[in-house]
Each structure stands twice: as structure tokens, then as C-alpha cells.
Amino acid sequence: LTLVFIGDGAPTANYGYTNSGYSVYEEENERLTESLRTKVSAIKSLSIEIGTEVKNQNKMLSEMDNDFDSTGGLLGATMGRLRTLSRGSQTKLLCYMMLFALFVFFVIYWIIKLR
């Protein structure tokens, strides 16, 4: 242990760190700190990009939800009109089918009678 007095007589201890491995460890620590800083910066920018993408996707999903709601309303109204049409015209449709069946029956009867 060597004590050296500097200036006003305060001793400084030279523990052999200056020219030994201390500077190597300090340089490695600085290098690792800089590497960690760049990795943290990359993760920060990536998380910001992910947040932006999530906001855009949520906006698009919201717009799609609104579109599907309006399409569902339009389809529901169309189905309601179709049900109204089918309820009112069932008797007409049944009458047309009966008349067609009678017509076919008379045509077949007439063909058989002519033979």
C-alpha cells in the first residue's frame, strides 16, 4: 500500500487499480451499458410501433363493427319485407299451384282421351 500526498496533504491510496484490470472492467462495463442502452432504445421504438399498430387495428375493427351493424339492419329490414310478402301471398301461391295442377291434370286427361 502506497500513500501519496497531493496538494493540501490529503493522502490518496493507490491500490493498483489504475493500470491493472480496473480500466478493462470499466471499459467492458461501459460497452455493456451502451449495448443495453441500444437494446432498450430498440425495445422502446418497437413498443411504440406496436402501440400505433394496435390503435390502427382498433380503429379499423370499430369501423367494421359499424359497417356490419348497418348491413345487419339493412338485411333485417329486407328479411322483414320478405316475410310480409310471403305471409300475404301464401294463399295466392296456393291457388296458383292448384290451378296449375288442374291444368296439368286436364292436359294429361285430354292427351289420354285423344289416343
Side-chain angles (χ1 to χ4, degrees):
L1 178 65
T2 309
L3 294 176
V4 180
F5 292 98
I6 299 178
D8 57 352
T12 53
N14 184 359
Y15 295 105
Y17 289 138
T18 11
N19 292 330
S20 68
Y22 179 71
S23 63
V24 173
Y25 291 131
E26 188 175 336
E27 288 174 9
E28 185 178 354
N29 191 23
E30 289 295 325
R31 182 182 58 78
L32 291 173
T33 303
E34 186 60 34
S35 173
L36 184 62
R37 187 175 295 129
T38 58
K39 288 178 183 176
V40 167
S41 175
I43 289 174
K44 179 183 175 184
S45 66
L46 185 64
S47 65
I48 289 172
E49 289 175 12
I50 288 173
T52 304
E53 185 65 26
V54 165
K55 286 178 185 176
N56 290 338
Q57 294 292 327
N58 282 339
K59 182 181 175 187
M60 188 173 15
L61 284 173
S62 176
E63 290 172 357
M64 282 178 65
D65 187 40
N66 292 339
D67 290 343
F68 280 133
D69 283 344
S70 65
T71 304
L74 181 65
L75 186 61
T78 303
M79 289 302 291
R81 286 189 213 123
L82 189 61
R83 267 190 237 112
T84 303
L85 268 173
S86 67
R87 282 187 201 137
S89 64
Q90 278 184 356
T91 54
K92 288 181 183 178
L93 184 63
L94 189 59
C95 287
Y96 288 140
M97 285 176 48
M98 295 274 282
L99 288 174
F100 179 74
L102 285 173
F103 174 75
V104 170
F105 176 73
F106 283 124
V107 168
I108 292 174
Y109 178 75
W110 184 69
I111 291 174
I112 291 175
K113 192 168 186 167
L114 286 179
R115 282 187 154 191

